């Protein structure tokens, strides 16, 4: 029987002394994650190409408790930039316990897709031509570079430091957490705002499978680094115009057949809490999983789950 003290929140979800890196950590879901980790004791490097945004976040972060946030310039699509960020963390910390691959972007737009009255829906030939004549291969590749390829390159670059993070604390294994999306699981081409969901959704589906591949390969090769993913539903972010209020706004962003059962967007606490679970001692027996946090979206809409 476990002692009651070992099951208390301050033990099970303790992040004191953990070193974390959150890419895309200056706004939206990334900021929710970074603040959640720091609020619970972690030293969090928040990374982005836009360092001025990161510095503003750090300047406004209340100095309380053990957790801190540190701005770090990083372009996740550039190997030299990734290696420079690794060098900085390696020299300062010598290890990494938590890596959150959260950086992401949206792709080319096809605003006519879900409008049956649009002239592009005249017939199959017209629709096919309209979809074919998008911005092209380069735009797809650019989006995949951020949403998918970066997960591979950032994770592999930091794998040695994550291994050292696992060896740093008895009974703890370092954690890679990839921010995927319900867009990579739903079979609907949602096509909201500036997202071309054929491109965006498939890039997130690829990120989901990459998560499973890395978790399996690392485990088979005896590397004590867990790899999981969190698939958010509708949350306020730069991709969703920052604010989502009311059932109609949630439905507009979700672009679902059946409305989100929760009838609201997700909260910072719900996102941060899921990440904290995976990154903390409570999550050390969880590996190769994708946790959906979507208010029931995929429960009522077509998906691959």
């Amino acid at each position: 029987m476990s002692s009651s003290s070992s099951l208390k929140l301050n033990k099970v979800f303790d992040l004191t002394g953990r070193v974390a890196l959150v890419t895309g950590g200056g706004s939206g879901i990334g900021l929710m994650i970074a603040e959640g980790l720091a609020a619970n004791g972690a030293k969090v490097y928040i990374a982005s190409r836009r360092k001025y945004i990161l510095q503003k976040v750090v300047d406004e972060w209340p100095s309380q408790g053990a957790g801190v946030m540190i701005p770090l310039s990083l372009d996740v699509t550039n190997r030299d930039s990734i290696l420079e960020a690794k060098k900085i963390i390696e020299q300062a910390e010598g290890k990494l316990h938590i890596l959150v691959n959260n950086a992401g972007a949206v792709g080319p737009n096809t605003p006519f897709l879900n409008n049956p009255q649009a002239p592009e829906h005249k017939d199959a030939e017209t629709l096919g031509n309209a979809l074919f004549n998008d911005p092209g291969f380069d735009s797809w590749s650019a989006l995949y570079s951020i949403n998918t390829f970066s997960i591979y390159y950032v994770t592999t670059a930091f794998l040695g430091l994550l291994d050292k993070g696992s060896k740093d604390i008895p009974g703890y294994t370092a954690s890679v957490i990839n921010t995927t999306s319900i867009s990579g699981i739903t079979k609907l081409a949602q096509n909201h705002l500036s997202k071309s969901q054929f491109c965006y959704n498939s890039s997130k589906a690829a990120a989901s499978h990459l998560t499973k591949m890395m978790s399996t390969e690392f485990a088979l090769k005896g590397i004590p680094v867990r790899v999981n993913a969190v698939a958010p539903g509708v949350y306020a972010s730069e991709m969703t115009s920052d604010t989502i209020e009311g059932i109609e706004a949630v439905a507009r962003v979700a672009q679902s057949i059946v409305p989100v059962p929760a009838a609201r967007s997700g909260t910072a606490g719900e996102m941060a809490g899921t990440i904290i679970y995976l990154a903390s001692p409570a999550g050390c027996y969880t590996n190769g999983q994708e946790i959906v946090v979507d208010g029931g979206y995929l429960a009522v809409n077509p998906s691959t789950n």
Side-chain angles (χ1 to χ4, degrees), residues 60-137:
E60 294 176 354
W61 176 252
S63 298
Q64 57 186 20
V68 296
M69 288 198 286
I70 301 169
L72 180 67
S73 293
L74 172 60
D75 179 351
V76 297
T77 66
N78 182 283
R79 280 206 272 205
D80 289 339
S81 181
I82 294 170
L83 291 177
E84 179 61 27
K86 175 191 176 181
K87 180 180 178 181
I88 290 170
I89 293 178
E90 186 171 29
Q91 290 179 343
E93 312 295 341
K95 62 197 171 188
L96 186 66
H97 301 105
I98 304 160
L99 169 61
V100 182
N101 288 306
N102 174 78
V106 297
N109 193 16
T110 49
F112 57 84
L113 188 62
N114 290 336
N115 177 11
Q117 306 306 316
E120 288 85 354
H121 290 274
K122 176 184 176 182
D123 52 37
E125 179 72 17
T126 304
L127 179 60
N129 287 336
L131 293 171
F132 180 83
N133 290 311
D134 70 358
F137 285 85

Side-chain angles (χ1 to χ4, degrees), residues 194-206:
S194 60
K195 296 179 185 178
S196 168
Q197 296 303 114
F198 283 111
C199 182
Y200 179 83
N201 285 23
S202 60
S203 73
K204 288 296 186 178

Side-chain angles (χ1 to χ4, degrees), residues 164-184:
K164 291 179 180 178
S166 290
K167 296 172 181 175
D168 178 53
I169 302 171
Y172 178 81
T173 45
S175 177
V176 176
I177 306 167
N178 301 323
T179 303
T180 55
S181 173
I182 59 167
S183 294

Side-chain angles (χ1 to χ4, degrees), residues 209-233:
H209 193 62
L210 185 57
T211 297
K212 297 178 177 66
M213 291 176 67
M214 288 193 296
S215 69
T216 297
E217 290 294 345
F218 296 166
L220 289 174
K221 289 164 179 58
I223 298 172
V225 176
R226 296 175 294 114
V227 186
N228 294 287
V230 173

Side-chain angles (χ1 to χ4, degrees), residues 7-301:
L7 299 177
K8 290 184 178 294
L9 291 176
N10 63 350
K11 294 289 186 181
V12 175
F13 297 104
D14 183 26
L15 294 176
T16 303
R18 305 302 199 271
V19 179
L21 168 62
V22 180
T23 69
S27 62
I29 288 175
L31 181 56
M32 296 177 192
I33 293 169
E35 289 181 331
L37 293 173
N40 287 277
K43 184 177 186 179
V44 184
Y45 287 84
I46 52 173
S48 171
R49 288 177 293 189
R50 300 175 296 177
K51 193 169 183 179
Y52 68 94
I53 291 180
L54 302 177
Q55 190 61 55
K56 184 174 184 293
V57 167
V58 171
D59 291 342
E60 294 176 354
W61 176 252
S63 298
Q64 57 186 20
V68 296
M69 288 198 286
I70 301 169
L72 180 67
S73 293
L74 172 60
D75 179 351
V76 297
T77 66
N78 182 283
R79 280 206 272 205
D80 289 339
S81 181
I82 294 170
L83 291 177
E84 179 61 27
K86 175 191 176 181
K87 180 180 178 181
I88 290 170
I89 293 178
E90 186 171 29
Q91 290 179 343
E93 312 295 341
K95 62 197 171 188
L96 186 66
H97 301 105
I98 304 160
L99 169 61
V100 182
N101 288 306
N102 174 78
V106 297
N109 193 16
T110 49
F112 57 84
L113 188 62
N114 290 336
N115 177 11
Q117 306 306 316
E120 288 85 354
H121 290 274
K122 176 184 176 182
D123 52 37
E125 179 72 17
T126 304
L127 179 60
N129 287 336
L131 293 171
F132 180 83
N133 290 311
D134 70 358
F137 285 85
D138 288 345
S139 64
W140 276 64
S141 179
L143 187 64
Y144 268 73
S145 291
I146 298 172
N147 290 356
T148 310
F149 306 162
S150 68
I151 291 175
Y152 174 84
Y153 285 104
V154 174
T155 301
T156 53
F158 281 88
L159 191 59
L161 291 182
L162 288 161
D163 178 58
K164 291 179 180 178
S166 290
K167 296 172 181 175
D168 178 53
I169 302 171
Y172 178 81
T173 45
S175 177
V176 176
I177 306 167
N178 301 323
T179 303
T180 55
S181 173
I182 59 167
S183 294
I185 304 172
T186 182
K187 292 188 283 188
L188 297 171
Q190 299 152 298
N191 204 72
H192 169 67
L193 298 174
S194 60
K195 296 179 185 178
S196 168
Q197 296 303 114
F198 283 111
C199 182
Y200 179 83
N201 285 23
S202 60
S203 73
K204 288 296 186 178
S208 297
H209 193 62
L210 185 57
T211 297
K212 297 178 177 66
M213 291 176 67
M214 288 193 296
S215 69
T216 297
E217 290 294 345
F218 296 166
L220 289 174
K221 289 164 179 58
I223 298 172
V225 176
R226 296 175 294 114
V227 186
N228 294 287
V230 173
V234 179
Y235 285 78
S237 70
E238 288 182 327
M239 292 186 189
T240 57
S241 301
D242 291 319
T243 58
I244 307 169
E245 297 180 359
I247 296 175
E248 291 185 1
V250 172
R252 185 175 66 251
V253 173
Q255 291 284 297
S256 55
I257 294 174
V258 179
V260 176
R264 62 173 176 83
S265 59
T267 67
E270 288 161 341
M271 176 52 55
T274 306
I275 297 292
I276 291 167
Y277 157 67
L278 288 172
S280 70
C284 281
Y285 209 52
T286 304
N287 194 9
Q289 302 303 306
E290 183 174 39
I291 300 177
V292 176
V293 191
D294 70 346
Y297 176 103
L298 294 179
V300 295
N301 286 284

